[in-house]
Amino acid sequence: MTDQAPAASPEIPGKPTSASRTTLSHIMTHNDTNLLGSVHGGVIMKLVDDAAGAVAGRHSGGPAVTASMDEMVFLEPVRVGDLVHVKAQVNWTGRTSMEIGVRVLAERWNESAPPTQVGSAYLVFTGVDADGKPRQVPPVIPETERDRRRHQEAQIRRTHRLARRRAIRELRERRAAEGITD
């Protein structure tokens, strides 16, 4: 699944960012840990994908699939007993794709401090129809200055994704033309 060129559709009205924003919360248990006693990064990544998928489905009004994870940053370890909150929202939409921004926060079980940000991620989802083919999604309408900043940053990430994809394709074509095979 790939990003499609952004285009607003007169048939599909836009939706505000707040319409699909969500928070998924989960208590970390011993089943979630690695050999060091902290929560596996993959467990956090699954929660991120779950929350982002819920947002993408809500925003698009139907099924959506993960097309890519642009970036996953782990800022601090998550421990057993931590209450993890995964906050997700649509940052940007194209014709069939959506960038979902995700923040991961943890409340330490033995502290009465506010939640700490422990990670963040950007995922691209594609709306799909019953046959699994890309389908058009509603444009997102940023509501706040923060939403507008996130929308602009998402456009920059999209430009970089497309440039990277194009550069790799061109390199492979050059290598193939030179008879170089892997």
Side-chain angles (χ1 to χ4, degrees):
M1 304 284 155
T2 62
D3 286 342
Q4 302 295 318
S9 168
E11 305 138 25
I12 300 178
K15 288 186 178 180
T17 306
S18 62
S20 57
R21 188 179 287 140
T22 195
T23 301
L24 181 142
S25 297
H26 189 79
I27 295 177
M28 297 292 103
T29 69
H30 287 285
N31 293 333
D32 302 318
T33 60
N34 59 28
L35 295 174
L36 300 174
S38 57
V39 172
H40 278 285
V43 169
I44 300 299
M45 290 173 75
K46 182 180 182 327
L47 294 173
V48 164
D49 191 49
D50 288 346
V55 166
R58 268 187 192 172
H59 181 81
S60 68
V65 296
T66 310
S68 71
M69 180 180 274
D70 251 11
E71 184 177 314
M72 178 77 216
V73 177
F74 297 100
L75 301 170
E76 290 189 35
V78 176
R79 307 267 179 225
V80 169
D82 284 355
L83 178 58
V84 172
H85 306 286
V86 183
K87 297 177 176 281
Q89 76 172 49
V90 177
N91 289 336
W92 173 90
T93 54
R95 193 176 64 77
T96 63
S97 62
M98 303 159 273
E99 183 194 90
I100 314 298
V102 182
R103 284 185 17 197
V104 183
L105 303 140
E107 290 184 58
R108 307 300 182 184
W109 69 272
N110 59 348
E111 298 175 11
S112 60
T116 302
Q117 184 170 352
V118 295
S120 65
Y122 299 102
L123 297 88
V124 176
F125 277 74
T126 300
V128 294
D129 63 18
D131 297 322
K133 303 289 184 203
R135 66 177 169 79
Q136 200 165 0
V137 300
V140 67
I141 302 168
E143 299 172 279
T144 66
E145 269 315 306
R146 186 179 202 181
D147 292 342
R148 284 184 276 285
R149 174 187 55 80
R150 290 175 72 136
H151 189 267
Q152 291 170 335
E153 290 172 359
Q155 290 174 314
I156 293 168
R157 283 187 291 276
R158 179 179 187 277
T159 299
H160 288 193
R161 276 193 305 274
L162 295 175
R164 181 178 62 235
R165 185 179 302 141
R166 187 173 35 257
I168 289 170
R169 185 183 66 243
E170 290 169 0
L171 173 65
R172 289 179 180 176
E173 289 170 355
R174 272 195 317 273
R175 289 176 57 87
E178 294 169 4
I180 302 171
T181 59
D182 296 43

